[in-house]
């Protein structure tokens, strides 16, 4: 498998942070969002709480009555789900302006995996991109998040959890394998308390670490857990081959190219661009497809991405027509800036 870069983003104490943003007087209070505590008689649970509340041991899923017992002086707020969903949508829009939707897998209201393999070339650049995402969200939504970057989804999430709150962390597979050795086996996504018990029984030991679990052979794991045993075997070794599952988007064919060194040389840029158009056209011809829209993509040295598109209703086209239509769109994007170009792309939406 080709080396990948995966970014995991997760908003910090999401519901509670939104409440703090809207009510500045909450800032240094203990804030708990969840069911009504009804002076300790309330049923239901804590949805989340700010980090001050966490320092008292309050956590998501805890009975609200217990939270009330620990911190009766906390500020208890109801769950305003409608509002949190709309904030979540605004955040995903900000991310989609930086990274292609097709590379984003939303996993929950405040969390996503993003395949950034085509955008960055090193962990250093990954950090720059991550910081760009963090500062855009902070600037536009006044909310902090944490980002983890690695070579697979599992380690990206672990890196993110380690950097919480308001942090950013990169882990290579090599580092990851060592780091997770000391961790509990429940760190592995998919291993909950039930599976943990099975492992404990099998190894006749409590509080198992990943290092302990590595003693189990692959075939034994499969016999113990079933099909998932094989992927857990990889996970214990810092490996995870699962891919990003984005939402379905309009069918399109496209090519993107990242310059070895950011470029300002029009000759080089146009020549690469023409090659991409030619290869897209070849694929269109082979598949006998008509096109609806052409899209030109350009990402500058500061990672900012711009696109221009043009509707286009042709069943018959050739390379020359695509050049004629595509090149002016590209020039339009790059002509008014002196920034260097990092990546260009050409995409057609299929009829
Ligand atoms: N949530 C919930 N009930 C749970 C867990 C979470 O209602 N048992 C909601 C409230 C959280 C949101 O989902 O704000 C996101 O969950 P996270 O697990 O990401 O936790 P937080 O964002 O609150 O905190 P963290 O900073 O640890 O990510
Ligand atoms: Ca979160
Ligand atoms: Ca989350």
């Amino acid at each position: 498998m080709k080396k990948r870069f995966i970014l995991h983003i997760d908003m910090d104490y999401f519901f509670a942070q939104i409440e703090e943003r809207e009510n500045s007087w909450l800032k240094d209070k203990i804030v708990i969002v969840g069911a009504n505590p009804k002076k300790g008689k309330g049923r239901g649970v804590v949805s989340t709480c700010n980090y001050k509340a966490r320092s008292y041991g309050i956590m998501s899923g805890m009975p609200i009555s217990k939270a009330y017992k620990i911190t009766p002086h906390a500020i208890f707020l109801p769950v305003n789900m409608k509002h949190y969903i709309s904030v979540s949508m605004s955040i995903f829009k900000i991310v989609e302006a930086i990274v292609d939707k097709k590379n984003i897998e939303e996993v929950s209201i405040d969390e996503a995996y993003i395949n950034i393999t085509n955008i960055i070339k090193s962990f250093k650049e990954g950090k720059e991109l991550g910081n760009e995402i963090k500062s855009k969200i902070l600037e536009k939504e006044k909310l902090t998040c944490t980002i983890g970057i690695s070579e697979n989804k599992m380690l990206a999430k672990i890196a993110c959890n380690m950097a919480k709150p308001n942090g950013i962390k990169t882990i290579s597979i090599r580092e990851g394998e060592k780091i997770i050795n000391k961790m509990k086996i429940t760190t592995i996504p998919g291993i909950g308390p039930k599976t943990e018990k099975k492992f404990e029984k099998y190894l006749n030991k409590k509080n198992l670490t990943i290092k302990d679990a590595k003693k189990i052979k692959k075939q034994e794991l499969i016999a113990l857990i079933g099909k998932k045993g094989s992927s857990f075997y990889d996970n214990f070794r810092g490996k995870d081959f699962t891919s990003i599952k984005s939402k379905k988007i309009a069918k399109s064919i496209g090519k993107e190219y990242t310059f070895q060194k950011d470029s300002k040389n029009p000759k080089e840029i146009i020549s690469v661009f023409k090659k991409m158009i030619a290869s897209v056209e070849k694929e269109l011809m082979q598949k006998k497809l008509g096109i609806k829209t052409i899209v030109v993509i350009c990402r500058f040295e500061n990672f900012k991405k711009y696109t221009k598109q043009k509707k286009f209703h042709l069943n018959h086209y050739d390379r020359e027509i695509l050049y004629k239509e595509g090149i002016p769109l590209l020039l339009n994007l790059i002509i008014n800036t002196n920034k260097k170009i990092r990546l260009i792309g050409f995409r057609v939406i299929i009829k």
Side-chain angles (χ1 to χ4, degrees):
M1 187 180 225
K2 192 187 152 223
K3 176 166 168 154
R4 299 179 297 161
F5 287 109
I6 308 290
L7 182 153
H8 183 258
I9 176 170
D10 187 281
M11 299 304 296
D12 300 327
Y13 63 111
F14 191 45
F15 297 179
Q17 197 189 171
I18 296 173
E19 296 296 343
E20 280 183 6
R21 174 186 81 176
E22 256 109 274
N23 308 287
S24 56
W25 61 276
L26 290 173
K27 266 278 172 320
D28 19 77
K29 304 270 189 305
I30 303 166
V31 181
I32 299 172
V33 180
N36 187 338
K38 295 187 181 157
K39 297 209 155 60
K41 297 202 165 62
R43 295 162 66 84
V45 296
V46 172
S47 274
T48 194
C49 57
N50 65 2
Y51 278 77
K52 188 149 191 198
R54 291 181 199 195
S55 71
Y56 291 87
I58 314 287
M59 52 185 161
S60 294
M62 174 185 271
I64 201 79
S65 54
K66 186 171 174 194
Y68 188 85
K69 237 171 247 149
I70 303 172
T71 53
H73 52 300
I75 310 291
F76 289 89
L77 298 170
V79 179
N80 184 357
M81 202 57 184
K82 237 186 179 167
H83 181 49
Y84 309 148
I85 291 173
S86 92
V87 176
S88 167
M89 283 161 67
S90 309
I91 291 166
F92 281 116
K93 280 222 179 79
I94 296 169
V95 176
E96 282 162 20
I98 304 175
V99 195
D100 260 344
K101 217 173 165 162
K102 70 168 199 300
N103 292 322
I104 304 176
E105 176 179 349
E106 292 178 25
V107 279
S108 79
I109 189 165
D110 79 329
E111 194 174 328
Y113 289 102
I114 311 176
N115 188 342
I116 53 170
T117 311
N118 294 329
I119 310 177
I120 59 152
K121 294 188 274 264
S122 64
F123 278 119
K124 185 170 163 278
E125 287 190 353
K127 233 176 181 167
E128 282 166 31
L129 176 69
N131 278 320
E132 163 81 10
I133 294 174
K134 273 169 73 66
S135 61
K136 271 276 134 49
I137 294 174
L138 186 61
E139 178 197 320
K140 298 204 166 151
E141 285 295 323
K142 305 281 179 285
L143 292 170
T144 66
C145 64
T146 299
I147 284 178
I149 300 167
S150 186
E151 295 168 63
N152 61 46
K153 285 163 79 172
M154 181 194 70
L155 287 178
K157 188 174 168 92
I158 289 174
C160 180
N161 286 339
M162 290 171 78
K164 265 188 170 299
N166 195 12
I168 182 162
K169 185 173 176 62
T170 62
I171 300 182
S172 67
I173 286 193
R174 239 166 23 139
E175 293 165 330
E177 192 184 353
K178 281 197 204 111
I179 291 173
I180 63 174
N181 264 336
K182 297 186 267 316
M183 293 181 167
K184 290 187 64 181
I185 56 167
T186 45
T187 314
I188 304 289
I191 301 192
K194 260 194 197 162
T195 316
E196 186 186 22
K197 287 234 163 63
K198 274 192 194 171
F199 277 103
E200 287 179 345
K201 212 171 151 199
Y202 189 75
L203 288 173
N204 196 19
K205 190 177 171 194
K206 293 252 170 221
N207 295 319
L208 292 177
T209 62
I210 289 172
K211 193 176 176 188
D212 294 325
K214 281 208 277 200
K215 289 182 191 127
I216 311 175
K217 291 195 189 87
K218 196 173 194 167
Q219 284 317 316
E220 290 178 284
L221 260 179
I222 295 168
L224 183 69
I225 307 290
K227 258 194 285 178
K228 274 198 182 156
S230 163
S231 47
F232 288 151
Y233 182 88
D234 294 332
N235 293 162
F236 294 150
R237 285 151 185 85
K239 293 182 185 140
D240 173 13
F241 301 104
T242 54
S243 56
I244 299 288
K245 292 167 197 80
S246 61
K247 286 190 191 146
K248 286 252 179 308
I249 47 169
K251 267 203 158 183
S252 68
I253 293 179
K255 285 270 174 304
E256 283 183 358
Y257 179 82
T258 306
F259 292 100
Q260 270 309 310
K261 259 181 87 180
D262 298 347
S263 173
K264 239 173 37 179
N265 175 349
K267 253 196 182 156
E268 184 189 20
I269 295 165
I270 299 285
S271 134
V272 168
F273 190 65
K274 283 177 122 179
K275 272 188 205 141
M276 285 190 312
I277 292 186
S279 115
V280 169
E281 186 235 23
K282 198 170 155 197
E283 194 173 337
L284 284 168
M285 291 292 182
Q286 280 167 356
K287 296 182 178 161
K288 300 191 174 59
L289 295 168
I291 54 187
K292 206 157 67 174
T293 308
I294 62 171
V295 188
V296 174
I297 303 144
C298 185
R299 188 185 288 278
F300 292 99
E301 54 190 332
N302 56 0
F303 289 110
K304 286 217 169 64
K305 189 184 85 175
Y306 296 88
T307 61
K308 282 256 176 234
Q309 55 184 60
K310 184 170 177 184
K311 288 223 179 320
F312 207 81
H313 284 286
L314 286 175
N315 285 318
H316 303 285
Y317 48 83
D318 60 23
R319 213 164 280 192
E320 292 305 323
I321 295 176
L322 293 178
Y323 291 159
K324 202 176 121 244
E325 298 290 339
I327 290 171
L329 291 182
L330 177 70
L331 292 176
N332 207 315
L333 281 174
I334 62 179
I335 213 143
N336 289 319
T337 176
N338 46 21
K339 293 211 169 55
K340 287 190 194 152
I341 291 166
R342 187 178 169 77
L343 169 151
I344 51 172
F346 179 78
R347 178 163 290 281
V348 295
I349 316 256
I350 295 156
K351 255 194 191 172

